[in-house]
Amino acid sequence: MITSVAALIESHEGRRAVPYPDTRGRLTCGVGHCLDTNIIWPGVRARFAALGIDPRVGPWPDELIDAVRDDDISEAVDEAAMDIGAEAWNGLNAQRQAALTDMAFEMGEDGLKKFEHLIAAVQLGQWENAAAEALASAWAAEVPARAKTDAAMLRTGEWPNG
């Protein structure tokens, strides 16, 4: 059962130790970390260097996959919180925060910000509307299973069952 934002994101992204081209042809590794557009933070980059591993070649050990994933999640949390607004964000339960973080993680910088109607619904606590906005998007057409999960979490405020 999924009970954390890390588990939610990993359930959607998967986990790969060797870099591969994603669906858009961008080099990706770990838990959805795009090597073509995202940075690896200096502290983690130093750990790769100490182990003699080129992040673009791999394989990545589990400890570094986790470190990069956690850095990426931290960035997605910050992005989602900023987009939603501190007052509304702080009033959300962990499950709704996780759904919004998952959306921010998948769409990248400024992706969630484009969901103005969803954000307004979240700020007003209108969960049916927030879920409907998520599902009525081009993003939902690209990642339908992920969108359904995140929308259900927004609607119910509960973790998914699988």
Side-chain angles (χ1 to χ4, degrees):
M1 183 168 178
I2 294 171
T3 59
S4 71
V5 68
L8 177 68
I9 288 172
E10 197 159 329
S11 76
H12 292 141
E13 295 288 340
R15 182 182 189 95
R16 305 266 301 259
V18 178
Y20 64 96
D22 71 6
T23 57
R24 296 180 185 148
R26 300 173 303 186
L27 192 60
T28 302
C29 197
V31 180
H33 184 84
C34 179
L35 292 160
D36 292 343
T37 59
N38 293 341
I39 64 167
I40 295 177
W41 301 106
V44 176
R45 185 174 294 284
R47 290 162 64 187
F48 276 101
L51 294 171
I53 299 170
D54 178 347
R56 297 182 66 81
V57 176
W60 291 20
D62 282 335
E63 70 178 56
L64 293 181
I65 292 173
D66 291 345
V68 172
R69 178 203 61 207
D70 293 348
D71 285 347
D72 290 348
I73 289 173
S74 179
E75 191 173 317
V77 167
D78 290 348
E79 185 79 25
M82 185 174 57
D83 292 346
I84 299 302
E87 185 177 340
W89 180 260
N90 292 332
L92 300 177
N93 68 9
Q95 295 85 340
R96 288 184 170 123
Q97 286 182 352
L100 293 162
T101 299
D102 185 52
M103 292 176 71
F105 185 99
E106 200 277 328
M107 289 184 270
E109 188 174 354
D110 294 329
L112 182 60
K113 185 183 293 184
K114 296 173 185 168
F115 284 68
E116 294 173 6
H117 297 291
L118 180 145
I119 290 169
V122 167
Q123 291 170 337
L124 295 170
Q126 296 175 345
W127 304 115
E128 288 295 330
N129 289 345
E133 288 295 329
L135 293 174
S137 65
W139 169 75
E142 292 175 16
V143 289
R146 187 176 208 154
K148 287 177 187 172
T149 298
D150 289 347
M153 290 174 68
L154 289 172
R155 184 180 307 108
T156 66
E158 296 176 4
W159 294 109
N161 291 326

